[in-house]
Amino acid sequence: GAVVSQHPSWVICKSGTSVKIECRSLDFQATTMFWYRQFPKQSLMLMATSNEGSKATYEQGVEKDKFLINHASLTLSTLTVTSAHPEDSSFYICSASPGRRSYEQYFGPGTRLTVT
Amino acid sequence: SQQGEEDPQALSIQEGENATMNCSYKTSINNLQWYRQNSGRGLVHLILIRSNERETHSGRLRVTLDTSKKSSSLLITASRAADTASYFCATAVYGGATNKLIFGTGTLLAVQP
């Protein structure tokens, strides 16, 4: 149980275009989803927290207009990188939690984004 | 930065030896968790220790927690080549409306066969 999927697993896009990454909880309802980014050989940095049906909460330094997060249902959250630039190239990982007060997080396999 | 620190940054050992990784953090926590990540892959949850616990075990893993020093250690006994991966500690903290995980900087473990 507690499986989280991400799609796509990798994507290459041209500078200036937008790309959407999906995060799905497959066998449980995720009240809360988290988005992280990870640069090569570095740790995971929390970008934002999204609760179903409400606006995402972004961490300090993360541009909300650049990284659009939608958590429209209890099983799906999307991250859209708008007007992507090469410096946005990174590994994006989502996680899902069954409740806002829960400390359980189940991680997706990640999406490798390369912006050329 | 809220991020925790881990040391060593990299560790190379021989198969059969024990590996110890340390994690220090900055804030009050509810629990502390350890994860493994193989290169370019997602995270695998290894073990969790609650803030009121001092030690816990799971198979070849042993975790200690010292809340007075805000530190934790992960011991992997009788290491195997398959244990080669990056290891991250993550502290579970109250983030306002939502609880969240703050990850440490990670330790890259290489187990030589």
Side-chain angles (χ1 to χ4, degrees):
Chain A
V3 178
V4 176
S5 70
Q6 278 185 245
H7 178 79
S9 55
W10 60 269
V11 58
I12 301 173
C13 71
K14 292 186 176 180
S15 190
T17 61
S18 296
V19 60
K20 180 185 287 187
I21 302 169
E22 293 185 348
C23 177
R24 294 181 185 273
S25 56
L26 299 184
D27 52 4
F28 69 100
Q29 292 187 329
T31 304
T32 305
M33 287 186 171
F34 303 84
W35 287 95
Y36 299 83
R37 69 185 297 181
Q38 183 180 33
F39 291 108
K41 300 188 187 305
Q42 294 189 26
S43 186
L44 280 75
M45 297 299 295
L46 180 64
M47 299 174 66
T49 303
S50 72
N51 292 302
E52 186 266 339
S54 60
K55 290 184 179 179
T57 301
Y58 290 80
E59 294 297 303
Q60 193 172 8
V62 178
E63 300 176 59
K64 61 180 66 175
D65 293 332
K66 179 160 188 64
F67 299 100
L68 301 179
I69 292 172
N70 187 315
H71 192 163
S73 78
L74 285 171
T75 59
L76 173 65
S77 176
T78 60
L79 168 68
T80 301
V81 183
T82 62
S83 187
H85 289 104
E87 56 264 33
D88 298 324
S89 298
S90 188
F91 194 52
Y92 292 88
I93 303 176
C94 74
S95 69
S97 176
R100 297 187 187 199
R101 298 298 185 195
S102 171
Y103 288 106
E104 294 175 288
Q105 288 189 31
Y106 302 98
F107 286 82
T111 296
R112 174 79 55 195
L113 170 64
T114 302
V115 184
T116 61
Chain B
S1 168
Q2 284 184 290
Q3 197 168 40
E5 299 289 328
E6 288 184 57
D7 76 271
Q9 288 187 337
L11 178 61
S12 182
I13 59 174
Q14 296 294 124
E15 225 172 7
E17 295 180 339
N18 295 340
T20 299
M21 290 158 256
N22 303 295
C23 167
S24 61
Y25 57 91
K26 300 177 182 178
T27 64
S28 296
I29 64 171
N30 177 277
N31 64 69
L32 186 145
Q33 304 173 33
W34 286 89
Y35 289 83
R36 184 184 74 212
Q37 183 182 37
N38 289 85
S39 181
R41 308 291 292 275
L43 294 175
V44 175
H45 182 265
L46 295 176
I47 192 167
L48 177 152
I49 185 166
R50 294 180 176 78
S51 61
N52 61 352
E53 297 177 311
R54 293 296 168 259
E55 183 175 317
T56 191
H57 303 81
S58 177
R60 294 185 295 114
L61 306 179
R62 173 177 171 254
V63 171
T64 62
L65 179 65
D66 187 334
T67 53
S68 67
K69 294 181 180 179
K70 290 186 166 59
S71 67
S72 174
S73 68
L74 170 67
L75 169 67
I76 304 174
T77 61
S79 63
R80 305 166 182 167
D83 294 329
T84 295
S86 291
Y87 291 82
F88 296 94
C89 67
T91 49
V93 299
Y94 179 64
T98 308
N99 299 320
K100 57 185 181 181
L101 292 177
I102 305 297
F103 281 83
T105 49
T107 294
L108 178 59
L109 173 66
V111 181
Q112 310 297 334

